[in-house]
Amino acid sequence: MTGGWIAKAAFKTKEQPGGTIMDINHDTKKLFMYAILCLSLAVGLSSGVFSNYFKEVFAVDSVQRGLLEIPRETPGILCVVILTALSGLGNLSLMVMAYGFCTLGLAVLGLLSPSYFIMQIFLFSFSLGEHMMMPLRDSIAMDLSGEGKTGTFLGQLKGRMTLSSMAASAAVFIGYRTGIFWFGNGVIPSFVAGLLFTAAGLFFAVRLRKTAPELNVPRARNTGRRDTLHIRKRYIPYYLITAVYGCQKRMRIVFAPWLIVELLAMGADTLALLGMAAHLIGSRFSPVIGRMLDRLGVSRSLAIEGGYFAGAFLFAAFAAWGAASGRFGDGPLGAVLVFLAYILVMLTDHFNTVHTVMMKQLSLRPEDVMGNLSLGLSVDHVLAVTVSGGFGVIWKVWGPQYVFLLAAACSAVHLAVAGYLERSAILKKR
């Protein structure tokens, strides 16, 4: 019901008289939005508590927790190979497959109390479906967006996904605080709730494939060329931004939360409340980014992204320095600054829309978009996994502020790429 309510709020399009095509397109967008929001809710109810699940059910130590990132993140690295190999199936068929993997994974994790080894297999299954949907979601959304409205539609989609993530965070907070959700050797209620949403998402994905078969035709069939991954010199700006974004994403996923846990010694309930605040702000922030893209274009939006990243990470460095050194004293000032830094860093996630539209406008062929979005996801994950250890050493040896200072310095790449795109004029007209 939550996903349906949010999806209804996403579409207030006025029907145009005599336009059956518009009616079909509107219905297609609704089915797509329903499916995506169901997955967002499922991820919030499952991925958001995986660390607690590993600890409570399997009593893993820090070494095991690190090793569990292999089945959790490997699908992101393999995504480009898998989606390229299966590209002949069409995007909507791949979407159905991805939801099937997610549903299977949560069914076993939530209902069957698997052993540690079996758990890793179905953790991989769920993660594979989740990672497959990342480039598929953006590719299908661009196909559904109107001419000159790609950024706006992607921004709307991201904003509604953020609202659903906020709803999932609220459910997790209330569920574990009140005892409605729990961890144990039997059924895991939050995973079962997530399972219901992935099953609903699978239903909507199947309906979408039947309703819009034209979106499921592999582009290679239309062009007469084999649909393979094309890595071109022209696409280097996208690869560079994706690599830098993968490094900076560690701030959002690992080190910003660690400010709360390590420096302030606060628990999961505090993170859940801050997450809800970030999601609420992000639900308004993401559509703004989408409209900015359509009005200003990719190169200027990328420059604004670089400026925002630099400012957010510099502020986080200042807050981390103050909290770690005790310069803010025993009052609430230090905690408030760290909380604000956390929210600012969380909002960096919404700029990914800029990268998606950049790839679309750089592409020489429509069929290049999907393959290179998948490649970008793999590059993102390779960089994200490999730099985490180094950043952790910097945090421990020199101090947490230097981790955020390095992330801020990486923003120079955004500005350099934005300048190159503006001078070279290689982007397609919107």
Side-chain angles (χ1 to χ4, degrees):
M1 291 181 66
T2 305
W5 178 84
I6 296 172
K8 287 178 182 178
F11 290 97
K12 298 180 181 177
T13 308
K14 295 180 180 179
E15 291 189 14
Q16 296 186 3
T20 56
I21 293 179
M22 278 300 296
D23 295 339
I24 293 173
N25 188 44
H26 182 69
D27 291 340
T28 301
K29 285 184 175 181
K30 284 199 297 185
L31 285 172
F32 174 69
M33 183 67 83
Y34 289 148
I36 296 302
L37 296 185
C38 281
L39 183 59
S40 294
L41 288 163
V43 168
L45 290 163
S46 53
S47 291
V49 295
F50 272 157
S51 292
N52 303 85
Y53 168 67
F54 300 147
K55 187 67 175 177
E56 296 284 340
V57 177
F58 298 102
V60 302
D61 57 24
S62 59
V63 175
Q64 289 172 307
R65 179 63 188 91
L67 292 174
L68 282 171
E69 287 301 289
I70 297 175
R72 180 80 182 97
E73 296 294 349
T74 299
I77 298 173
L78 297 178
C79 201
V80 61
V81 177
I82 294 170
L83 289 177
T84 300
L86 299 176
S87 60
L89 295 179
N91 283 353
L92 297 188
S93 293
L94 288 170
M95 182 179 181
V96 171
M97 182 181 296
Y99 276 81
F101 283 133
C102 289
T103 302
L104 175 63
L106 284 185
V108 174
L109 296 177
L111 296 172
L112 301 183
S113 300
S115 66
Y116 186 73
F117 175 73
I118 299 298
M119 177 273 290
Q120 293 182 69
I121 295 175
F122 289 94
L123 175 67
F124 180 91
S125 174
F126 174 80
S127 186
L128 177 60
E130 181 186 357
H131 282 88
M132 285 176 65
M133 276 308 302
M134 292 176 186
L136 283 170
R137 177 191 67 218
D138 291 341
S139 181
I140 296 169
M142 287 190 289
D143 288 340
L144 287 171
S145 62
E147 186 67 28
K149 297 292 183 180
T150 300
T152 299
F153 183 63
L154 285 172
Q156 290 174 346
L157 175 63
K158 186 71 175 178
R160 296 326 185 262
M161 288 171 59
T162 303
L163 275 178
S164 64
S165 296
M166 184 182 71
S169 295
V172 167
F173 176 77
I174 295 170
Y176 284 101
R177 267 298 181 93
T178 61
I180 297 173
F181 293 162
W182 66 85
F183 292 110
N185 293 323
V187 171
I188 309 295
S190 64
F191 290 1
V192 174
L195 169 62
L196 295 177
F197 280 113
T198 58
L202 177 60
F203 168 77
F204 290 127
V206 171
R207 285 283 305 277
L208 178 62
R209 186 174 61 174
K210 292 180 179 179
T211 301
E214 67 278 5
L215 294 176
N216 197 42
V217 177
R219 289 189 172 93
R221 191 178 302 173
N222 295 329
T223 61
R225 291 176 290 201
R226 189 176 171 215
D227 195 14
T228 57
L229 175 64
H230 289 268
I231 301 174
R232 305 176 190 273
K233 181 179 179 181
R234 178 188 180 88
Y235 303 157
I236 288 178
Y238 172 72
Y239 304 146
L240 286 174
I241 291 298
T242 303
V244 170
Y245 184 74
C247 296
Q248 292 170 323
K249 193 165 73 171
R250 291 295 93 186
M251 303 304 107
R252 177 171 54 85
I253 294 176
V254 177
F255 296 104
W258 205 241
L259 288 174
I260 312 297
V261 175
E262 175 75 6
L263 299 186
L264 301 184
M266 294 183 178
D269 53 346
T270 301
L271 281 174
L273 289 172
L274 288 171
M276 283 187 275
H279 290 323
L280 180 61
I281 297 170
S283 68
R284 308 301 302 170
F285 189 57
S286 199
V288 170
I289 294 174
R291 291 192 294 270
M292 175 188 72
L293 261 170
D294 288 334
R295 291 173 184 172
L296 301 181
V298 168
S299 56
R300 293 180 183 177
S301 298
L302 193 61
I304 293 172
E305 175 186 353
Y308 178 87
F309 275 48
F313 293 135
L314 285 173
F315 183 84
F318 171 71
W321 167 78
S325 63
R327 298 297 177 93
F328 299 142
D330 298 328
L333 177 60
V336 170
L337 291 177
V338 170
F339 291 166
L340 180 57
Y342 176 86
I343 292 172
L344 290 174
V345 172
M346 290 298 105
L347 293 177
T348 60
D349 178 45
H350 297 274
F351 282 96
N352 192 43
T353 303
V354 178
H355 314 157
T356 300
V357 176
M358 175 170 64
M359 184 61 235
K360 179 183 180 182
Q361 293 187 12
L362 282 172
S363 63
L364 292 174
R365 309 185 311 160
E367 55 268 33
D368 283 1
V369 176
M370 181 61 197
N372 280 281
L373 288 177
S374 304
L375 177 62
L377 180 66
S378 297
V379 171
D380 177 324
H381 279 72
V382 169
L383 267 296
V385 171
T386 54
V387 303
S388 294
F391 280 160
V393 171
I394 292 170
W395 177 297
K396 185 174 182 179
V397 175
W398 288 285
Q401 65 270 26
Y402 291 102
V403 172
F404 294 100
L405 287 174
L406 280 175
C410 289
S411 301
V413 177
H414 295 76
L415 300 175
V417 171
Y420 168 76
L421 293 176
E422 189 72 22
R423 292 191 306 271
S424 63
I426 62 172
L427 293 172
K428 296 177 183 176
K429 293 184 179 180
R430 288 168 278 156

Coordinates of all heavy atoms in Angstrom, one line a residue, residues 41-42 44-47 49-50 53 56-57 106-113 168 171-172 174-176 178-198:
L41 N 11.4 -0.1 -1.5 CA 10.9 -0.5 -0.2 C 11.6 -1.8 0.3 O 12.0 -2.0 1.4 CB 9.4 -0.6 -0.2 CG 8.7 0.7 -0.3 CD1 7.2 0.5 -0.8 CD2 8.7 1.4 1.0
A42 N 11.7 -2.8 -0.6 CA 12.3 -4.1 -0.3 C 13.7 -4.0 0.1 O 14.2 -4.6 1.1 CB 12.1 -5.1 -1.5
G44 N 15.2 -1.3 1.4 CA 15.2 -0.6 2.7 C 14.9 -1.6 3.8 O 15.5 -1.4 4.9
L45 N 14.1 -2.5 3.6 CA 13.7 -3.5 4.6 C 14.7 -4.6 4.8 O 14.6 -5.4 5.7 CB 12.3 -4.0 4.3 CG 11.1 -3.0 4.5 CD1 9.9 -3.5 3.8 CD2 10.9 -2.8 6.0
S46 N 15.6 -4.8 3.8 CA 16.5 -5.9 3.9 C 18.0 -5.5 3.9 O 18.6 -5.7 4.9 CB 16.2 -6.9 2.6 OG 16.3 -6.1 1.4
S47 N 18.4 -4.9 2.8 CA 19.8 -4.4 2.8 C 20.2 -3.5 3.9 O 21.3 -3.6 4.4 CB 20.1 -3.7 1.4 OG 20.1 -4.6 0.4
V49 N 19.4 -3.6 6.9 CA 19.7 -4.3 8.2 C 20.6 -5.6 8.0 O 20.6 -6.4 8.9 CB 18.4 -4.7 8.9 CG1 17.6 -3.4 9.3 CG2 17.5 -5.6 8.0
F50 N 21.2 -5.7 6.9 CA 22.0 -6.9 6.7 C 23.1 -7.0 7.7 O 23.4 -8.1 8.2 CB 22.6 -6.9 5.2 CG 21.8 -7.5 4.2 CD1 21.9 -7.2 2.9 CD2 20.8 -8.4 4.5 CE1 21.1 -7.7 1.9 CE2 20.0 -9.0 3.5 CZ 20.2 -8.7 2.2
Y53 N 21.7 -8.4 10.8 CA 21.4 -9.8 10.5 C 22.6 -10.7 10.6 O 22.5 -11.7 11.3 CB 20.7 -9.9 9.1 CG 20.5 -11.3 8.6 CD1 19.6 -12.2 9.2 CD2 21.3 -11.7 7.4 CE1 19.5 -13.4 8.6 CE2 21.1 -12.9 6.9 CZ 20.2 -13.8 7.5 OH 20.0 -15.1 7.0
E56 N 23.6 -10.8 14.5 CA 22.6 -11.4 15.4 C 22.4 -12.9 15.1 O 22.3 -13.7 16.0 CB 21.3 -10.6 15.3 CG 21.3 -9.2 15.7 CD 21.4 -9.1 17.2 OE1 21.0 -10.0 17.9 OE2 21.8 -8.0 17.7
V57 N 22.3 -13.2 13.8 CA 22.0 -14.6 13.5 C 23.2 -15.5 13.4 O 23.2 -16.6 13.8 CB 21.2 -14.6 12.2 CG1 20.9 -16.1 11.7 CG2 19.9 -13.9 12.3
L106 N 15.3 -13.2 -1.1 CA 14.6 -12.9 0.2 C 13.7 -14.0 0.7 O 13.5 -14.1 1.9 CB 13.8 -11.6 0.0 CG 14.6 -10.3 0.0 CD1 13.6 -9.1 -0.1 CD2 15.5 -10.2 1.2
A107 N 13.2 -14.8 -0.2 CA 12.3 -16.0 0.2 C 13.2 -16.9 1.1 O 12.7 -17.4 2.2 CB 11.8 -16.7 -1.0
V108 N 14.4 -17.2 0.7 CA 15.2 -18.2 1.4 C 15.8 -17.5 2.7 O 15.7 -18.1 3.8 CB 16.4 -18.7 0.5 CG1 17.4 -19.5 1.4 CG2 15.9 -19.5 -0.6
L109 N 16.2 -16.3 2.6 CA 16.8 -15.6 3.7 C 15.7 -15.3 4.8 O 16.0 -15.4 6.0 CB 17.4 -14.2 3.3 CG 18.7 -14.3 2.4 CD1 19.1 -12.9 2.0 CD2 19.8 -15.1 3.1
G110 N 14.5 -15.0 4.4 CA 13.5 -14.6 5.3 C 12.7 -15.7 5.9 O 12.2 -15.6 7.0
L111 N 12.6 -16.8 5.2 CA 11.6 -17.9 5.6 C 12.3 -19.2 6.0 O 11.7 -20.0 6.8 CB 10.6 -18.2 4.4 CG 9.7 -17.0 4.1 CD1 8.9 -17.4 2.8 CD2 8.7 -16.7 5.2
L112 N 13.5 -19.5 5.4 CA 14.0 -20.9 5.5 C 15.2 -21.0 6.5 O 15.7 -22.1 6.5 CB 14.4 -21.4 4.1 CG 13.2 -21.4 3.1 CD1 13.7 -22.0 1.8 CD2 12.0 -22.2 3.7
S113 N 15.6 -20.0 7.2 CA 16.7 -20.1 8.2 C 17.9 -20.9 7.5 O 18.3 -21.9 8.0 CB 16.3 -20.8 9.4 OG 15.2 -20.2 10.0
A168 N 10.7 3.0 4.3 CA 11.3 1.8 4.8 C 12.1 2.0 6.0 O 12.1 1.2 7.0 CB 12.2 1.2 3.7
A171 N 9.8 2.2 8.9 CA 9.3 0.9 9.3 C 10.4 0.1 10.1 O 10.0 -0.5 11.0 CB 8.9 0.2 8.0
V172 N 11.6 0.2 9.6 CA 12.7 -0.5 10.3 C 12.9 0.1 11.7 O 13.0 -0.6 12.7 CB 14.0 -0.3 9.5 CG1 15.2 -0.8 10.4 CG2 14.0 -1.2 8.3
I174 N 10.7 1.8 13.7 CA 9.5 1.4 14.5 C 9.5 -0.1 14.8 O 9.2 -0.5 15.9 CB 8.2 1.9 13.8 CG1 8.2 3.4 13.7 CG2 7.0 1.4 14.6 CD1 7.0 3.9 12.9
G175 N 9.7 -0.9 13.7 CA 9.6 -2.3 13.9 C 10.6 -2.9 14.9 O 10.2 -3.7 15.8
Y176 N 11.9 -2.5 14.8 CA 12.8 -3.0 15.8 C 12.7 -2.4 17.2 O 13.1 -3.0 18.2 CB 14.2 -2.9 15.2 CG 14.5 -3.9 14.1 CD1 14.4 -3.6 12.8 CD2 14.8 -5.2 14.5 CE1 14.6 -4.6 11.8 CE2 15.0 -6.2 13.5 CZ 14.9 -5.9 12.2 OH 15.1 -6.8 11.2
T178 N 9.8 -1.6 18.6 CA 8.6 -2.1 19.2 C 8.6 -3.6 19.3 O 7.8 -4.2 20.0 CB 7.4 -1.6 18.5 OG1 7.4 -2.1 17.1 CG2 7.3 -0.1 18.5
G179 N 9.6 -4.3 18.6 CA 9.6 -5.7 18.7 C 8.7 -6.4 17.6 O 8.6 -7.6 17.6
I180 N 8.2 -5.6 16.7 CA 7.4 -6.2 15.6 C 8.4 -7.0 14.6 O 8.1 -8.0 14.1 CB 6.7 -5.1 14.8 CG1 5.6 -4.4 15.7 CG2 6.0 -5.7 13.5 CD1 5.0 -3.2 15.0
F181 N 9.6 -6.4 14.5 CA 10.7 -7.1 13.7 C 11.7 -7.6 14.7 O 11.9 -7.0 15.8 CB 11.4 -6.1 12.8 CG 10.5 -5.6 11.7 CD1 10.9 -4.4 11.0 CD2 9.4 -6.2 11.3 CE1 10.1 -4.0 9.9 CE2 8.6 -5.8 10.2 CZ 9.0 -4.6 9.5
W182 N 12.3 -8.7 14.4 CA 13.3 -9.3 15.2 C 14.3 -10.2 14.4 O 14.0 -10.5 13.2 CB 12.7 -10.1 16.3 CG 12.0 -11.3 15.8 CD1 12.6 -12.6 15.6 CD2 10.6 -11.5 15.5 NE1 11.6 -13.4 15.1 CE2 10.4 -12.8 15.1 CE3 9.5 -10.6 15.6 CZ2 9.1 -13.2 14.7 CZ3 8.3 -11.0 15.2 CH2 8.1 -12.3 14.8
F183 N 15.4 -10.5 15.0 CA 16.4 -11.4 14.4 C 16.4 -12.7 15.2 O 16.3 -12.6 16.4 CB 17.8 -10.9 14.3 CG 17.9 -9.7 13.3 CD1 18.1 -8.4 13.8 CD2 17.8 -9.9 12.0 CE1 18.2 -7.4 12.9 CE2 17.9 -8.9 11.1 CZ 18.1 -7.6 11.6
G184 N 16.5 -13.8 14.5 CA 16.5 -15.1 15.2 C 16.8 -16.2 14.2 O 17.1 -16.0 13.1
N185 N 16.7 -17.5 14.7 CA 16.9 -18.6 13.8 C 15.7 -19.0 13.0 O 15.8 -19.9 12.2 CB 17.4 -19.8 14.7 CG 18.7 -19.6 15.3 OD1 19.6 -19.0 14.7 ND2 18.9 -20.0 16.6
G186 N 14.6 -18.4 13.2 CA 13.4 -18.7 12.4 C 13.1 -17.6 11.4 O 14.1 -17.2 10.7
V187 N 11.9 -17.2 11.2 CA 11.5 -16.3 10.2 C 12.1 -14.9 10.6 O 12.1 -14.5 11.8 CB 10.0 -16.2 10.2 CG1 9.5 -15.0 9.3 CG2 9.4 -17.5 9.6
I188 N 12.5 -14.1 9.6 CA 13.0 -12.8 9.8 C 11.9 -11.8 9.2 O 11.8 -11.7 8.0 CB 14.3 -12.5 9.0 CG1 15.4 -13.6 9.4 CG2 14.9 -11.1 9.3 CD1 15.8 -13.6 10.8
P189 N 11.1 -11.2 10.1 CA 9.9 -10.5 9.6 C 10.2 -9.3 8.6 O 9.5 -9.1 7.7 CB 9.3 -9.9 10.9 CG 9.7 -10.9 12.0 CD 11.1 -11.3 11.6
S190 N 11.3 -8.6 8.8 CA 11.6 -7.5 7.9 C 12.0 -8.0 6.5 O 11.6 -7.4 5.5 CB 12.8 -6.6 8.4 OG 14.0 -7.3 8.5
F191 N 12.6 -9.2 6.4 CA 12.9 -9.8 5.2 C 11.6 -10.3 4.5 O 11.5 -10.2 3.3 CB 13.9 -11.0 5.3 CG 15.3 -10.6 5.7 CD1 15.7 -9.2 5.9 CD2 16.3 -11.5 5.9 CE1 16.9 -8.9 6.2 CE2 17.6 -11.2 6.2 CZ 17.9 -9.8 6.4
V192 N 10.7 -10.8 5.3 CA 9.4 -11.3 4.7 C 8.6 -10.1 4.2 O 8.0 -10.2 3.1 CB 8.6 -12.0 5.8 CG1 7.2 -12.4 5.3 CG2 9.3 -13.3 6.2
A193 N 8.7 -8.9 4.9 CA 8.0 -7.7 4.4 C 8.7 -7.3 3.1 O 8.0 -6.9 2.1 CB 8.1 -6.6 5.4
G194 N 10.0 -7.4 3.0 CA 10.7 -7.1 1.8 C 10.3 -8.0 0.7 O 10.2 -7.7 -0.5
L195 N 10.2 -9.3 1.0 CA 9.8 -10.3 0.0 C 8.4 -10.0 -0.6 O 8.2 -10.2 -1.8 CB 9.7 -11.7 0.7 CG 9.1 -12.9 0.0 CD1 9.9 -13.2 -1.3 CD2 9.0 -14.1 0.9
L196 N 7.5 -9.5 0.2 CA 6.2 -9.2 -0.3 C 6.3 -8.0 -1.3 O 5.6 -8.0 -2.4 CB 5.2 -8.7 0.8 CG 4.9 -9.8 1.8 CD1 4.0 -9.3 3.0 CD2 4.2 -11.0 1.2
F197 N 7.2 -7.1 -1.1 CA 7.4 -6.0 -2.0 C 8.1 -6.4 -3.3 O 7.7 -6.0 -4.4 CB 8.1 -4.9 -1.4 CG 7.2 -4.0 -0.5 CD1 7.4 -4.0 0.9 CD2 6.2 -3.2 -1.0 CE1 6.6 -3.2 1.7 CE2 5.4 -2.4 -0.2 CZ 5.6 -2.4 1.1
T198 N 9.1 -7.3 -3.2 CA 9.7 -7.8 -4.4 C 8.7 -8.7 -5.3 O 8.8 -8.6 -6.5 CB 11.0 -8.7 -4.1 OG1 10.7 -9.8 -3.3 CG2 12.0 -7.8 -3.5

